[in-house]
Amino acid sequence: MTRPPRDSGYPAERLTPRALAWERRKRAVADFWRVYARNRAGVVGLAGLLLFVLLALAAPLLVEPEGLSVTGAPGGAYEPPSAEYPLGTDNFGRSVLDLVIWGARISLTVGFLATFMSVTLGTLVGILAGHFGGWSSAVLMRVTDWFLVLPALVMAVALAAVMSRSTLTIIIAIGVTAWPTTARLVRAQTIAVEARPYIERARALGGGHRHVMKRHVLPNVLPVVLAQTTLLVAESIIMESTLAFLGLGDPGTISWGGVLQDARNAGAVSSGVWWYMIPPGLAIALVALSFTLCGRAIEGVLNPRLRERQ
């Protein structure tokens, strides 16, 4: 006697293919979150990340533009933390808390945009190299190796020094130097996907290169790309802060690295003005840690072997 089909919660025969695909996506997201929520470190990292994003979005509502001006700041220079200024003031009398909140906008924006640029370039190179193979793959991988062996920070400094000092320059400098790792990972995943039987069936049914890469390869490498993205955002934010600290950022914008550079130039280290240096550095460390925890948790969800070890 055959077993009746299990109730799926919705009449599948009444759903259109698009609605059925949407239901499957919702269930996949629900399953993903259920497994992700078991990782306490990942939940803590996600909470910290949401806090920083909310602060960045609410910065125009929390910070008065006049308080960021070097000429119109209401406070006195180097005032220690108090009820009026929880993190003290800088050498211009600006609230360090306001600088940290406002600086989150630039630092997170650069981190996200530079990561998007880097991941897009790395994914494109990795899929093309893994799919076509042959001499084209060899050329792409040699270029990738060349970028990989060179220190990314040194290359970013060189690009930022040659181009004009702006936020866009920082994004480009980070984006064109941080993609080789993603390209290597995506190429390896693409080769593994191309060896599966349904790829041969797709080609036998007339699927061209574009169809195979778009419909079969790309959806299977996206989990790797997602995990790599969360890790690259943290790296991009640290690199942006480093470039700004070295004086290669836009002097007209406020970022965490720029605040640290201003503190160094103002002699806060020798003067013992710790409240001017610690908050932006701590913000950089916390947001990088949050992204890293999220990335490790996502990697554990997408990789069953890592999930078993947890």
Side-chain angles (χ1 to χ4, degrees):
M1 182 176 181
T2 60
R3 178 180 297 180
R6 186 176 59 182
D7 184 13
S8 59
Y10 57 89
E13 65 277 2
R14 299 181 182 178
L15 294 178
T16 63
R18 179 177 298 181
L20 184 60
W22 178 249
E23 289 292 337
R24 290 175 177 174
R25 292 191 186 99
K26 290 196 298 184
R27 291 194 173 192
V29 172
D31 293 339
F32 176 87
W33 171 249
R34 185 174 62 254
V35 178
Y36 183 94
R38 298 174 185 172
N39 191 314
R40 296 182 180 179
V43 173
V44 172
L46 181 61
L49 177 59
L50 291 177
L51 176 61
F52 280 105
V53 171
L54 290 176
L55 284 177
L57 294 176
L61 302 177
L62 300 176
V63 179
E64 294 291 338
E66 294 79 8
L68 301 175
S69 175
V70 295
T71 58
Y78 292 142
E79 290 189 15
S82 60
E84 185 177 3
Y85 301 106
L87 297 180
T89 62
D90 64 354
N91 55 319
F92 297 109
R94 299 176 297 179
S95 172
V96 176
L97 179 60
D98 290 349
L99 295 176
V100 171
I101 294 176
W102 195 266
R105 303 182 67 196
I106 298 298
S107 295
L108 291 178
T109 300
V110 172
F112 283 123
L113 293 181
T115 299
F116 176 78
M117 179 179 178
S118 174
V119 168
T120 302
L121 181 59
T123 302
L124 179 62
V125 172
I127 290 179
L128 291 176
H131 176 77
F132 289 103
W135 66 267
S136 58
S137 175
V139 171
L140 290 175
M141 285 300 98
R142 296 298 77 76
V143 174
T144 302
D145 292 339
W146 185 80
F147 276 94
L148 194 61
V149 298
L150 293 177
L153 180 59
V154 175
M155 291 187 61
V157 168
L159 289 175
V162 172
M163 302 172 67
S164 60
R165 296 177 60 184
S166 64
T167 303
L168 180 60
T169 297
I170 298 296
I171 294 174
I172 295 175
I174 297 174
V176 300
T177 56
W179 61 269
T181 303
T182 303
R184 279 278 179 188
L185 293 174
V186 172
R187 175 181 176 271
Q189 187 69 13
T190 300
I191 293 175
V193 172
E194 296 263 352
R196 295 174 183 174
Y198 65 84
I199 299 294
E200 294 294 334
R201 289 196 295 267
R203 290 172 175 169
L205 293 174
H209 295 295
R210 182 178 179 181
H211 174 81
V212 172
M213 289 187 291
K214 182 179 179 181
R215 296 292 183 180
H216 299 289
V217 176
L218 182 59
N220 283 280
V221 302
L222 281 181
V224 176
V225 173
L226 178 61
Q228 182 67 10
T229 299
T230 55
L231 298 177
L232 277 179
V233 173
E235 181 181 344
S236 299
I237 291 176
I238 294 176
M239 190 174 295
E240 182 276 331
S241 302
T242 303
L243 294 176
F245 180 76
L246 295 175
L248 298 175
D250 187 357
T253 60
I254 298 175
S255 66
W256 291 334
V259 174
L260 287 175
Q261 190 218 11
D262 293 339
R264 183 192 62 177
N265 293 337
V269 178
S270 58
S271 302
V273 186
W274 57 269
W275 59 84
Y276 194 3
M277 303 174 293
I278 292 181
L282 187 61
I284 296 171
L286 289 178
V287 73
L289 178 62
S290 298
F291 275 109
T292 301
L293 292 177
C294 290
R296 296 301 183 188
I298 292 175
E299 189 177 8
V301 173
L302 301 177
N303 192 334
R305 296 179 180 178
L306 295 179
R307 193 188 314 169
E308 294 174 357
R309 297 176 183 175
Q310 295 177 355

